[in-house]
Amino acid sequence: MVGVYKVLAAFRDPRWLASFEACGEKTVVVGVATHGDLRDVVAAAEAAGLPVRVVCDAGRTEVEPGAMTVVGIVGPVQAVDQVTGHLRTL
């Protein structure tokens, strides 16, 4: 969440951060089947103009170093749902 906050703090419209804070920093966790699916979600969010924070693994466990493992996408519910609405919640 710290990474998402930093992305919002630097985002082009400061009202997005204020809205995120005012709404209680809502977080919804969804899953994808493959790294390719995760890359597709990132691309779709970026194409929609949404703030995106990609987290890559440090490789200290069984995950390959540098592997994309988490993505934070922030925005109005309708806009985020356009990108992630087809994914299953975890």
Side-chain angles (χ1 to χ4, degrees):
M1 289 301 292
V2 172
V4 168
Y5 191 88
K6 288 179 180 180
V7 167
L8 280 173
F11 196 62
R12 66 183 178 273
D13 187 341
R15 292 175 296 181
W16 286 53
L17 177 58
S19 177
F20 183 62
E21 291 174 329
C23 292
E25 301 173 22
K26 180 180 177 181
T27 304
V28 178
V29 180
V30 297
V32 295
T34 69
H35 280 104
D37 293 342
L38 192 55
R39 285 189 294 274
D40 291 345
V41 169
V42 170
E46 290 173 340
L50 297 172
V52 177
R53 170 70 168 145
V54 175
V55 177
C56 296
D57 199 88
R60 295 188 183 101
T61 60
E62 66 275 356
V63 178
E64 185 73 23
M68 186 185 321
T69 55
V70 176
V71 175
I73 302 169
V74 182
V77 171
Q78 300 86 345
V80 175
D81 280 350
Q82 288 282 346
V83 174
T84 64
H86 66 285
L87 301 172
R88 73 187 192 299
T89 56
L90 299 178

